Amino acid sequence: MSNLLKRVLKISILPAALIIVAKVIGLYIAIKYFQLEVFIDNNPENLFSIQLYFMDQTSTLLANSLSNFTVLIALAAVNAYLIFKYRLAIIYNNNPKTIVKLTKLNLISWVNKKDNDFIKVFVWTVFLWMVCFIIMSDVFAQGTYQWIGIFAFVVCIMSTWVLIRTFEIESQIIYPDQPNKLY
Amino acid sequence: MDKRDIKRIQMKFGKFLDPFVIVVIIAVFSLSALSLVNLSPRTYTGFQKDVLGATTENSSFNVTIEKVGGKHNYISNEILNKISPTHYVYKAKVGSMGAGQYSKPIFRISATGLQSQNLDFELLYSDSSKTKISLMDKASNISYILKDSDGKTYKQSTKVPSQETEYYLVLENTSYIFFDQIVEIRIFITN
């Protein structure tokens, strides 16, 4: 079996679970904090028969926006953490000053872990894209506040840009003698 | 078969598992996306929608529902929330009780003029799966079963009564219920 596929499968379980957990937490916060009236109904026509309902449009919009924003922030935060760690590991390998600084802060083992690879960053970014697209489509369907859609769009663009930059660094590691080669 | 043989078989046939792994990866992506979409709450429109999906407003609406109130040994903490002119939610606490039938008038419906609207009842929530829950129209002496003793729920519909009438909450147990439970009923007035 392909090691790459096994690794992708292993990595993709955590972001998939985080999306669901963050959505549930976001909904819980919205319902508890704003004291919204919610109930669960059974609709066999849908793919998943269980559906959450609110009594009015304003409550639905508020709860949906808050929960979508929670998912976006959770994924973006983990993504930023992974990219920061990955970039730090690359700099660490090339810059003696960084090695000294990290040694002083006792962070060498944290940066130099084996799981610090490009494929992890890539999988998390793909999940972030997916969430951004769902949120943006929800904004077009008037199910989420517009500013969250704009925020998701900015996060999507930024994550794409950072992923391209990270890929460039990765390609430089693979082909150090050919700096203009981009694969 | 030793470890080396197993490894050899894995190397030989393992590659055929790759398409299945790809399917699993796609499933993980799709399921998380579908869960995110499905967990997004919706606004309940229930019975208020007509065939074309447009909400029908009745400007000369003349059906009112009021809580009866009063004391009862087992049914207490009654609340009747008016969500909209066509939508009410009744909620009550039912204390622990022995086997038998218990009833209490819970709401009063009055309507003026000729009525063409329907009354729809639906059990929103009930803890106990063994209690049979029904509503009884006192004027016509008709019972509407909302939940049977097997836990199966029913949506019930009837015409808005032309005269004022009281509806009774009827609870039937075949055995002792040791805990308190909450009963919630949705009432819709539809055209």
Side-chain angles (χ1 to χ4, degrees):
Chain A
M1 206 192 299
S2 162
N3 284 331
L4 181 68
L5 288 176
K6 270 199 282 189
R7 180 111 180 94
V8 169
L9 182 61
K10 201 177 164 187
I11 293 166
S12 55
I13 289 166
L14 192 60
L18 183 72
I19 287 172
I20 298 164
V21 171
K23 181 79 182 178
V24 172
I25 289 170
L27 279 172
Y28 182 78
I29 291 168
I31 292 163
K32 280 283 164 192
Y33 188 76
F34 296 102
Q35 293 180 332
L36 306 175
E37 194 185 348
V38 65
F39 63 93
I40 298 165
D41 204 7
N42 191 19
N43 192 351
E45 290 168 13
N46 292 347
L47 182 64
F48 296 99
S49 59
I50 303 295
Q51 179 67 54
L52 276 178
Y53 285 104
F54 285 97
M55 290 300 184
D56 57 282
Q57 187 67 38
T58 320
S59 304
T60 312
L61 188 64
L62 177 69
N64 211 12
S65 302
L66 199 65
S67 55
N68 280 345
F69 190 64
T70 313
V71 175
L72 185 65
I73 290 292
L75 268 188
V78 176
N79 223 27
Y81 167 78
L82 288 175
I83 289 165
F84 173 73
K85 209 173 131 184
Y86 179 78
R87 297 290 285 262
L88 207 62
I90 300 296
I91 297 165
Y92 156 77
N93 283 327
N94 300 325
N95 193 343
K97 277 184 182 176
T98 315
I99 298 172
V100 175
K101 272 184 192 170
L102 288 171
T103 313
K104 276 181 184 173
L105 294 166
N106 202 18
L107 292 173
I108 289 284
S109 59
W110 173 67
V111 169
N112 212 17
K113 272 184 182 169
K114 275 183 183 174
D115 65 342
N116 217 3
D117 52 15
F118 175 74
I119 195 72
K120 199 170 191 179
V121 175
F122 178 74
V123 170
W124 277 86
T125 308
V126 171
F127 272 97
L128 186 62
W129 285 341
M130 186 186 75
V131 167
C132 288
F133 286 127
I134 289 172
I135 291 173
M136 283 190 281
S137 64
D138 217 19
V139 170
F140 285 117
Q142 298 181 335
T144 303
Y145 294 135
Q146 213 171 17
W147 66 267
I148 295 174
I150 294 165
F151 184 73
F153 180 71
V154 173
V155 167
C156 190
I157 297 291
M158 291 295 283
S159 62
T160 310
W161 175 59
V162 173
L163 185 74
I164 290 168
R165 296 284 297 158
T166 315
F167 181 74
E168 277 179 356
I169 293 167
E170 189 75 12
S171 64
Q172 294 302 313
I173 296 166
I174 300 166
Y175 304 106
D177 302 331
Q178 295 160 290
N180 293 325
K181 205 162 187 174
L182 294 171
Y183 54 87
Chain B
M1 196 183 283
D2 61 5
K3 274 186 182 177
R4 205 169 54 181
D5 288 333
I6 295 167
K7 208 166 189 180
R8 199 177 295 147
I9 291 165
Q10 273 183 345
M11 282 181 78
K12 202 172 180 182
F13 296 104
K15 60 191 170 196
F16 295 111
L17 289 174
D18 287 354
F20 297 104
V21 179
I22 293 168
V23 170
V24 174
I25 291 167
I26 292 168
V28 171
F29 274 82
S30 317
L31 280 174
S32 60
L34 286 171
S35 304
L36 186 63
V37 172
N38 190 63
L39 279 168
S40 299
R42 292 176 192 174
T43 309
Y44 193 83
T45 48
F47 303 110
Q48 296 173 68
K49 279 188 172 178
D50 61 20
V51 177
L52 295 172
T55 306
T56 312
E57 291 289 336
N58 190 342
S59 55
S60 59
F61 214 81
N62 46 11
V63 180
T64 52
I65 302 177
E66 297 167 326
K67 187 176 80 175
V68 173
K71 283 189 176 177
H72 191 269
N73 286 344
Y74 302 105
I75 301 165
S76 59
N77 296 13
E78 291 175 289
I79 301 165
L80 183 69
N81 279 330
K82 186 179 180 181
I83 309 296
S84 73
T86 57
H87 181 196
Y88 292 77
V89 175
Y90 169 83
K91 190 174 177 180
K93 183 183 149 191
V94 179
S96 56
M97 55 185 155
Q101 193 185 65
Y102 305 88
S103 66
K104 182 195 179 299
I106 54 171
F107 52 82
R108 189 181 295 117
I109 295 177
S110 54
T112 52
L114 286 170
Q115 295 305 314
S116 59
Q117 289 102 337
N118 287 326
L119 268 177
D120 296 313
F121 305 113
E122 187 184 2
L123 189 71
L124 187 64
Y125 184 76
S126 165
D127 295 316
S128 174
S129 59
K130 289 187 177 174
T131 306
K132 182 183 169 187
I133 300 172
S134 51
L135 282 175
M136 196 190 79
D137 180 358
K138 189 187 171 188
S140 63
N141 208 18
I142 297 171
S143 277
Y144 303 95
I145 298 171
L146 300 179
K147 196 185 80 172
D148 61 22
S149 52
D150 296 326
K152 195 178 173 189
T153 55
Y154 303 90
K155 286 177 184 175
Q156 298 285 3
S157 187
T158 181
K159 285 275 173 200
V160 168
S162 53
Q163 61 187 54
E164 185 179 293
T165 183
E166 282 181 356
Y167 275 82
Y168 280 65
L169 177 67
V170 184
L171 306 164
E172 286 176 70
N173 298 312
T174 49
S175 58
Y176 197 94
I177 304 292
F178 289 96
F179 49 86
D180 292 348
Q181 55 173 319
I182 302 289
V183 170
E184 274 187 72
I185 299 165
R186 271 202 298 251
I187 307 146
F188 288 102
I189 302 158
T190 58
N191 286 308

Coordinates of all heavy atoms in Angstrom, one line a residue, chain A residues 77-78 80-90 92 98 101-103 105-117 120:
Chain A
A77 N -6.4 28.4 12.8 CA -5.4 28.5 13.8 C -4.4 27.3 13.8 O -3.2 27.4 13.9 CB -6.1 28.5 15.2
V78 N -5.0 26.1 13.6 CA -4.2 24.9 13.5 C -3.3 25.0 12.2 O -2.1 24.6 12.3 CB -5.0 23.6 13.4 CG1 -4.2 22.4 13.3 CG2 -5.9 23.5 14.7
A80 N -2.2 27.7 10.7 CA -1.2 28.7 11.0 C -0.1 28.1 11.9 O 1.1 28.3 11.6 CB -1.8 29.9 11.7
Y81 N -0.5 27.3 12.9 CA 0.5 26.7 13.8 C 1.4 25.7 13.0 O 2.6 25.7 13.2 CB -0.3 25.9 14.9 CG 0.5 25.0 15.7 CD1 1.4 25.4 16.7 CD2 0.4 23.6 15.5 CE1 2.1 24.5 17.5 CE2 1.2 22.7 16.2 CZ 2.0 23.2 17.2 OH 2.8 22.3 18.0
L82 N 0.8 24.9 12.1 CA 1.6 23.9 11.4 C 2.5 24.6 10.4 O 3.7 24.2 10.3 CB 0.6 23.0 10.6 CG -0.2 22.0 11.4 CD1 -1.2 21.2 10.5 CD2 0.8 21.0 12.1
I83 N 2.0 25.6 9.7 CA 2.9 26.3 8.8 C 4.1 27.0 9.5 O 5.2 26.9 9.1 CB 2.1 27.3 8.0 CG1 1.2 26.6 7.0 CG2 2.9 28.3 7.2 CD1 0.1 27.4 6.4
F84 N 3.7 27.6 10.7 CA 4.8 28.3 11.5 C 5.8 27.3 11.9 O 7.0 27.6 11.7 CB 4.1 29.0 12.7 CG 5.1 29.5 13.7 CD1 5.8 30.7 13.4 CD2 5.3 28.9 14.9 CE1 6.7 31.3 14.3 CE2 6.2 29.5 15.8 CZ 6.9 30.6 15.5
K85 N 5.4 26.2 12.3 CA 6.3 25.1 12.8 C 7.2 24.6 11.6 O 8.4 24.4 11.8 CB 5.5 24.0 13.4 CG 6.2 23.2 14.5 CD 5.2 22.2 15.1 CE 5.8 20.9 15.2 NZ 5.0 19.8 15.7
Y86 N 6.5 24.4 10.5 CA 7.2 23.9 9.3 C 8.3 24.9 8.9 O 9.4 24.5 8.6 CB 6.2 23.6 8.2 CG 6.8 23.1 6.9 CD1 7.2 21.8 6.8 CD2 7.0 24.0 5.9 CE1 7.8 21.3 5.7 CE2 7.6 23.5 4.7 CZ 8.0 22.2 4.6 OH 8.6 21.7 3.4
R87 N 7.9 26.1 8.8 CA 8.8 27.2 8.3 C 10.0 27.3 9.3 O 11.1 27.5 8.9 CB 8.1 28.5 8.2 CG 7.0 28.6 7.1 CD 7.5 28.5 5.7 NE 8.1 29.7 5.3 CZ 7.5 30.6 4.5 NH1 6.2 30.4 4.1 NH2 8.1 31.7 4.1
L88 N 9.7 27.3 10.6 CA 10.7 27.4 11.6 C 11.7 26.2 11.5 O 12.9 26.4 11.6 CB 10.0 27.3 13.0 CG 10.7 28.0 14.1 CD1 10.9 29.5 13.8 CD2 10.0 27.8 15.4
A89 N 11.2 25.0 11.2 CA 12.1 23.9 11.0 C 13.0 24.1 9.8 O 14.2 23.7 9.8 CB 11.2 22.6 10.8
I90 N 12.5 24.7 8.7 CA 13.3 24.9 7.5 C 14.4 25.9 7.8 O 15.6 25.8 7.5 CB 12.4 25.4 6.4 CG1 11.3 24.4 6.0 CG2 13.2 25.8 5.1 CD1 11.8 23.1 5.5
Y92 N 15.5 26.7 10.7 CA 16.4 26.1 11.7 C 17.5 25.3 11.1 O 18.6 25.3 11.5 CB 15.5 25.2 12.6 CG 16.2 24.0 13.3 CD1 17.0 24.3 14.4 CD2 16.1 22.7 12.9 CE1 17.6 23.2 15.1 CE2 16.7 21.7 13.5 CZ 17.5 21.9 14.6 OH 18.2 20.9 15.2
T98 N 19.2 30.9 14.4 CA 17.9 30.3 14.8 C 18.1 29.1 15.7 O 17.4 28.9 16.7 CB 17.0 29.9 13.6 OG1 17.1 30.9 12.6 CG2 15.6 29.6 13.9
K101 N 18.9 30.4 19.1 CA 17.6 30.9 19.8 C 16.7 29.8 20.2 O 16.2 29.8 21.3 CB 16.9 31.8 18.8 CG 17.3 33.2 18.8 CD 16.5 34.1 17.8 CE 17.1 35.4 17.6 NZ 16.4 36.1 16.5
L102 N 16.5 28.8 19.3 CA 15.6 27.7 19.7 C 16.2 26.9 20.8 O 15.4 26.4 21.7 CB 15.4 26.8 18.5 CG 14.5 27.4 17.4 CD1 14.5 26.5 16.1 CD2 13.0 27.6 17.9
T103 N 17.5 26.7 20.9 CA 18.2 26.0 21.9 C 17.9 26.7 23.3 O 17.6 26.1 24.3 CB 19.7 25.8 21.7 OG1 19.8 25.4 20.3 CG2 20.3 24.8 22.6
L105 N 15.5 28.6 24.0 CA 14.1 28.5 24.4 C 13.7 27.1 24.6 O 12.5 26.8 24.9 CB 13.2 29.1 23.3 CG 13.3 30.6 23.1 CD1 12.7 31.1 21.8 CD2 12.7 31.4 24.3
N106 N 14.6 26.1 24.4 CA 14.3 24.7 24.6 C 13.2 24.2 23.7 O 12.3 23.4 24.1 CB 14.0 24.4 26.1 CG 14.3 23.0 26.5 OD1 15.0 22.3 25.7 ND2 13.7 22.5 27.5
L107 N 13.3 24.7 22.4 CA 12.3 24.3 21.5 C 12.8 23.4 20.3 O 12.1 23.2 19.3 CB 11.6 25.6 20.9 CG 10.8 26.4 21.8 CD1 10.4 27.7 21.2 CD2 9.5 25.6 22.3
I108 N 14.0 23.0 20.4 CA 14.6 22.2 19.4 C 13.8 20.9 19.1 O 13.4 20.6 17.9 CB 16.1 21.8 19.7 CG1 17.0 23.0 19.7 CG2 16.6 20.7 18.8 CD1 17.3 23.5 18.3
S109 N 13.4 20.2 20.1 CA 12.7 18.9 19.9 C 11.3 19.2 19.3 O 10.8 18.4 18.5 CB 12.6 18.2 21.2 OG 11.9 19.0 22.2
W110 N 10.7 20.3 19.7 CA 9.4 20.7 19.2 C 9.4 20.9 17.7 O 8.6 20.5 16.9 CB 8.8 21.9 19.9 CG 7.6 22.4 19.4 CD1 6.4 21.8 19.4 CD2 7.4 23.7 18.7 NE1 5.4 22.7 18.8 CE2 6.0 23.8 18.4 CE3 8.2 24.8 18.4 CZ2 5.5 24.9 17.7 CZ3 7.7 25.8 17.7 CH2 6.4 25.9 17.4
V111 N 10.4 21.7 17.3 CA 10.6 22.0 15.8 C 11.0 20.8 15.0 O 10.6 20.6 13.9 CB 11.5 23.2 15.7 CG1 11.9 23.5 14.2 CG2 10.9 24.5 16.3
N112 N 11.9 20.0 15.6 CA 12.6 19.0 14.8 C 11.8 17.7 14.8 O 12.4 16.6 14.5 CB 14.0 18.8 15.4 CG 14.9 18.5 14.3 OD1 14.6 18.6 13.1 ND2 16.1 17.9 14.7
K113 N 10.6 17.7 15.1 CA 9.8 16.4 15.2 C 9.7 15.8 13.8 O 9.6 16.6 12.8 CB 8.4 16.6 15.8 CG 8.5 16.5 17.3 CD 7.1 16.6 17.8 CE 7.1 16.5 19.3 NZ 5.8 16.9 19.9
K114 N 9.5 14.5 13.7 CA 9.5 13.8 12.4 C 8.2 14.2 11.6 O 8.1 14.1 10.4 CB 9.6 12.3 12.6 CG 11.0 11.9 12.7 CD 11.0 10.4 12.8 CE 12.4 9.9 13.0 NZ 12.5 8.4 13.3
D115 N 7.1 14.5 12.4 CA 5.8 14.7 11.7 C 5.7 16.1 11.1 O 4.6 16.5 10.6 CB 4.6 14.5 12.7 CG 4.6 15.5 13.8 OD1 5.7 16.2 14.0 OD2 3.6 15.7 14.5
N116 N 6.8 16.8 11.1 CA 6.8 18.2 10.5 C 7.0 18.2 9.0 O 8.1 18.4 8.6 CB 7.9 18.9 11.2 CG 7.6 20.3 11.5 OD1 6.5 20.8 11.3 ND2 8.5 21.1 12.1
D117 N 6.0 17.8 8.3 CA 6.2 17.7 6.8 C 5.2 18.4 6.0 O 4.2 18.9 6.5 CB 6.3 16.2 6.4 CG 5.1 15.4 6.9 OD1 4.1 16.1 7.3 OD2 5.1 14.2 6.8
K120 N 1.4 17.3 5.6 CA 0.5 17.7 6.7 C -0.1 19.1 6.5 O -1.3 19.3 6.6 CB 1.3 17.6 8.0 CG 0.4 17.5 9.2 CD 1.2 17.2 10.4 CE 0.4 16.8 11.6 NZ 1.2 16.5 12.8

